[in-house]
């Protein structure tokens, strides 16, 4: 436990000191929320208040940006620079390390969600979520799913140089077609079908239902099932593909 | 508790059918600096990484501080320190933050201020790693490996790429570690480094140990001493196993004849001569 806290503190320091990472994963969804909410927040989107629609979308985008993209990048860079290999020679247990890394990035995401909700309340007078525990459960499920997929993705990335290109090419288009920024209704049916198979659209829908329609997390079992399924797929990929040593020799 | 910190018997390792290490055996006594000397690609890093627990041998037995590195324990990791051949640390952490972070992993770390002094980075304590020079980074690598106060330290080519001044400073540091009672396995392709630092040296060539001994023993079995001088403007080179006698005869003769031996020199074989004769490819 002492080791876990020690490593968690270090992870937080490392995350906030890596300014590019902190900007693109933590700050950007918040900035986008402010920009887009001032532009079209007062319109109605898909039968919901535009501010709430965008808030849920940016929370989903934040989940993908921090726990998927941020985690994958951070792990690839550490793997390729030999930091992970070096850690294996110390008495820090592997699980303690992994739990600390995960806890740290999930904390960043939860903080981001809190800031988004607070900004929506303060700047646009959006009501606070009526079911905070359901919201919390949904956010944790989303974070777990994307973190598992993020670790799984590291197996497919060979070098630190190409990593951000690969990661961005994957999650940014998915964020768009999942309707994080605006209604996905305008997209072609084929794109929407792809989005339906992927986890992000379901996370955004769950967040929206909990916040807009005051539903409990389990009122949409189909969406929960898709997230759980992706979480399992990601976990299998993560366990099979995770490497401590650089890919390049 | 065995007297030997490391015991290696008939160690073999291949990568994709290429034999990197072909059945080597050696032991490292507690408290000594053991040098693994050889050209690039001789199998040094493979050997060290097997001892560190990163790679599994194909055959042979390995014991490091009484433990088989294929089944490492956390207690065992408390007692070893690793300076890898390459690799970075966290660019945005300072020197001091690195040492504190790694110290936290160990039950009984060495005080970070002592480590700073030992590796000579006191003045860089609050500098971020990305601002350090190559040599300073290498010293931080050493500091991070030392902060757990290990009994056994692996140094994989610790001074490769150093300028001569930095290399000498690093040698001083390694000598001071030896006097702290640490056992050190040092790999290098610098002959002088092995000669200056190691109590015993194993010369590795294409995955095989071709010679083992103290630097003095290795040079003792070496090619003959060389005597050279100029006589009547002509340069003469002699090779002899008995330089004392030959020199006596030469100078005696010269004195009797009233001649001078210009530019008289006696060359003792260096480890370099031995190394070159052992590692030279005869293809």
């Amino acid at each position: 436990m002492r080791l876990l806290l020690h490593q968690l503190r270090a992870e937080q320091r490392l995350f906030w000191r890596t300014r590019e990472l902190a900007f693109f994963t933590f700050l950007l969804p918040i900035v986008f929320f402010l920009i887009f909410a001032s532009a079209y927040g007062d319109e109605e989107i898909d039968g919901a208040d535009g501010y709430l629609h965008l808030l849920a979308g940016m929370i989903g985008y934040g989940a993908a940006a921090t726990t998927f993209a941020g985690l994958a990048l951070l792990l690839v860079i550490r793997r390729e620079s030999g930091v992970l290999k070096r850690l294996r020679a110390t008495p820090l247990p592997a699980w303690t390390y992994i739990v600390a890394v995960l806890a740290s990035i999930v904390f960043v995401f939860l903080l981001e969600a809190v800031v988004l909700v607070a900004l929506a309340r303060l700047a646009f007078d959006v009501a606070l979520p009526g079911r905070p525990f359901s919201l919390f459960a949904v956010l944790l499920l989303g974070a777990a799913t994307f973190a598992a997929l993020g670790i799984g993705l590291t197996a497919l990335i060979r070098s630190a140089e190409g990593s951000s290109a690969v990661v961005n090419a994957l999650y940014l288009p998915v964020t768009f077609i999942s309707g994080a920024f605006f209604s996905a209704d305008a997209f072609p049916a084929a794109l929407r079908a792809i989005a339906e198979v992927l986890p992000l659209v379901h996370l955004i829908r769950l967040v929206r239902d909990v916040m807009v329609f005051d539903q409990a997390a389990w009122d949409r079992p189909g969406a929960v099932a898709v997230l759980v399924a992706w979480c399992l797929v990601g976990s299998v990929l993560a366990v099979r593909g995770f490497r401590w040593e650089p890919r390049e020799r | 508790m065995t007297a030997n910190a490391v015991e290696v018997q008939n160690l073999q390792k291949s990568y994709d059918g290429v034999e990197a290490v072909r059945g080597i055996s050696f032991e490292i006594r507690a408290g000594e600096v053991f040098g693994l000397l050889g050209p690039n690609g001789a199998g040094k890093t493979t050997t060290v990484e097997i001892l560190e627990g990163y790679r599994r041998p194909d055959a042979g037995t390995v014991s490091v501080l009484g433990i088989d590195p294929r089944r490492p324990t956390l207690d065992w990791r408390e007692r070893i320190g690793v300076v890898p051949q390459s690799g970075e640390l966290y660019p945005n952490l300072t020197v001091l933050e690195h040492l504190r972070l790694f110290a936290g992993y160990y039950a009984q770390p060495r005080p970070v201020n002592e480590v700073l002094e030992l590796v000579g980075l006191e003045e860089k304590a609050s500098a971020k790693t990305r601002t350090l020079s190559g040599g300073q980074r290498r010293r931080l690598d050493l500091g991070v490996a030392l902060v757990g106060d290990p009994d056994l330290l692996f140094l994989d080519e610790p001074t490769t790429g150093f300028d001569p001044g930095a290399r000498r400073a690093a040698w001083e540091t390694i000598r001071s570690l030896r006097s702290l009672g640490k056992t050190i396995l040092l790999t290098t392709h610098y002959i002088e480094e092995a000669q200056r630092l190691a109590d015993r040296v194993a010369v590795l060539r294409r995955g095989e140990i071709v010679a083992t001994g103290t630097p003095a023993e290795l040079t003792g079995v070496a090619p003959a001493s060389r005597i050279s001088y100029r006589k009547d403007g002509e340069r003469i080179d002699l090779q002899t196993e008995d330089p004392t006698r030959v020199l006596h005869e030469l100078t005696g003769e010269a004195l009797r004849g009233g001649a001078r031996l210009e530019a008289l020199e006696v060359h003792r074989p260096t480890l370099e001569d031995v190394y070159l004769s052992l590692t030279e490819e005869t293809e």
Side-chain angles (χ1 to χ4, degrees):
Chain A
M1 200 59 199
R2 182 195 67 82
L3 263 181
L4 185 63
L5 288 177
H6 177 70
Q7 187 63 31
L8 190 55
R9 264 198 303 272
E11 291 299 332
Q12 280 294 303
R13 177 177 284 162
L14 283 165
F15 179 85
W16 298 108
R17 287 242 184 114
T18 314
R19 305 236 182 262
E20 319 80 66
L21 194 65
F23 175 76
F24 279 104
T25 65
F26 177 82
L27 206 57
L28 206 53
I30 293 168
V31 171
F32 279 158
F33 174 69
L34 290 176
I35 293 172
F36 288 113
S38 7
Y40 54 79
D42 51 358
E43 294 167 23
E44 190 167 279
I45 303 172
D46 291 350
D49 176 64
Y51 295 115
L52 274 166
H53 190 281
L54 200 59
L55 177 58
M58 289 303 102
I59 288 176
Y61 169 41
T66 51
T67 59
F68 176 74
L71 180 63
L73 289 176
L74 169 160
L75 285 176
V76 168
I77 289 166
R78 286 186 193 174
R79 183 188 69 199
E80 294 304 317
S81 66
V83 168
L84 293 185
K85 182 176 177 179
R86 201 182 304 237
L87 285 173
R88 294 304 297 130
T90 73
L92 177 69
W95 282 109
T96 307
Y97 178 70
I98 289 167
V99 168
V101 170
L102 287 175
S104 170
I105 202 78
V106 170
F107 172 77
V108 170
F109 166 56
L110 292 177
L111 187 66
E112 183 174 47
V114 167
V115 170
L116 281 168
V117 168
L119 277 177
R121 174 78 188 84
L122 295 173
F124 306 108
D125 210 21
V126 174
L128 289 175
R131 288 177 177 269
F133 289 109
S134 267
L135 182 61
F136 184 66
V138 165
L139 295 186
L140 273 191
L141 176 62
T145 304
F146 283 116
L149 288 168
I151 298 175
L153 178 65
T154 62
L156 304 177
I157 302 176
R158 285 173 191 284
S159 72
E161 289 76 33
S163 57
S164 72
V166 174
V167 170
N168 290 337
L170 274 174
Y171 91 98
L172 286 177
V174 170
T175 305
F176 284 120
I177 64 174
S178 298
F181 289 91
F182 27 75
S183 170
D185 287 346
F187 290 118
L191 283 183
R192 273 184 291 157
I194 294 173
E196 283 302 318
V197 181
L198 298 173
L200 185 55
V201 78
H202 300 280
L203 175 63
I204 293 174
R205 225 170 259 161
L206 278 173
V207 173
R208 197 171 296 156
D209 286 354
V210 170
M211 290 202 308
V212 181
F213 304 110
D214 257 354
Q215 292 182 0
W218 41 87
D219 282 347
R220 228 185 224 282
V224 173
V226 173
L227 287 177
V228 170
W230 275 109
C231 187
L232 292 177
V233 168
S235 303
V236 171
L237 288 176
V239 169
R240 291 172 60 110
F242 182 76
R243 292 280 175 276
W244 295 92
E245 297 193 24
R247 293 285 289 255
E248 295 168 335
R249 289 253 175 102
Chain B
M1 184 79 192
T2 50
N4 287 335
V6 174
E7 287 180 0
V8 175
Q9 281 287 324
N10 191 32
L11 178 68
Q12 295 172 36
K13 177 74 182 176
S14 304
Y15 300 112
D16 307 321
V18 180
E19 290 176 284
V21 175
R22 315 174 181 217
I24 63 173
S25 303
F26 61 90
E27 75 287 325
I28 303 175
R29 297 169 197 145
E32 78 174 343
V33 178
F34 186 84
L36 210 48
L37 176 66
N40 291 331
K44 302 187 296 291
T45 295
T46 299
T47 304
V48 171
E49 292 201 337
I50 288 170
L51 300 185
E52 291 163 349
Y54 286 122
R55 301 193 192 296
R56 301 174 72 84
D58 298 336
T61 57
V62 175
S63 163
V64 176
L65 299 175
I67 291 279
D68 181 346
R70 277 175 296 190
R71 286 178 290 279
T73 63
L74 295 182
D75 281 342
W76 179 73
R77 295 201 197 283
E78 294 269 356
R79 298 179 57 205
I80 65 163
V82 170
V83 174
Q85 192 181 116
S86 60
E88 305 281 314
L89 284 158
Y90 302 107
N92 296 314
L93 289 192
T94 68
V95 168
L96 194 59
E97 285 167 343
H98 269 106
L99 294 179
R100 288 203 178 120
L101 175 59
F102 279 79
Y105 299 154
Y106 296 87
Q108 284 160 327
R110 175 175 284 274
V112 289
N113 287 331
E114 270 182 51
V115 177
L116 271 180
E117 197 186 318
L118 206 52
V119 299
L121 284 176
E122 301 104 313
E123 280 160 29
K124 289 283 170 185
S126 50
K128 298 246 174 83
T129 312
R130 62 178 143 81
T131 67
L132 298 182
S133 72
Q136 289 164 342
R137 284 176 203 207
R138 209 69 186 119
R139 279 187 266 160
L140 180 58
D141 284 339
L142 183 60
V144 159
L146 279 176
V147 80
D149 201 17
D151 299 329
L152 171 62
L153 190 61
F154 294 101
L155 303 176
D156 197 358
E157 304 206 352
T159 67
T160 295
F162 278 27
D163 61 58
R167 177 161 303 132
R168 258 156 234 282
W171 288 350
E172 278 313 309
T173 307
I174 294 168
R175 280 206 198 92
S176 63
L177 297 179
R178 187 184 178 284
S179 57
L180 289 173
K182 310 277 179 214
T183 307
I184 297 173
L185 171 55
L186 167 83
T187 80
T188 182
H189 57 250
Y190 297 115
I191 299 130
E192 197 188 354
E193 186 160 290
Q195 191 157 19
R196 299 274 181 115
L197 293 179
D199 298 304
R200 289 191 310 130
V201 176
V203 181
L204 204 57
R205 192 195 80 151
R206 297 167 133 220
E208 286 173 309
I209 290 182
V210 289
T212 319
T214 64
E217 280 167 359
L218 286 180
T219 48
V221 300
S225 295
R226 227 171 62 231
I227 298 171
S228 65
Y229 57 95
R230 260 205 319 273
K231 197 179 174 189
D232 307 329
E234 189 185 351
R235 187 182 158 84
I236 298 176
D237 261 314
L238 296 174
Q239 298 234 339
T240 173
E241 302 291 342
D242 191 357
T244 318
R245 193 180 53 78
V246 173
L247 207 55
H248 182 76
E249 287 171 3
L250 265 178
T251 50
E253 201 178 303
L255 282 176
R256 276 195 303 276
R260 291 173 62 99
L261 301 173
E262 308 267 359
L264 176 65
E265 278 183 87
V266 181
H267 302 276
R268 274 197 44 229
T270 62
L271 190 54
E272 181 161 1
D273 299 322
V274 184
Y275 175 79
L276 290 174
S277 73
L278 287 169
T279 57
E280 236 159 38
E281 300 291 336
T282 46
E283 283 171 78

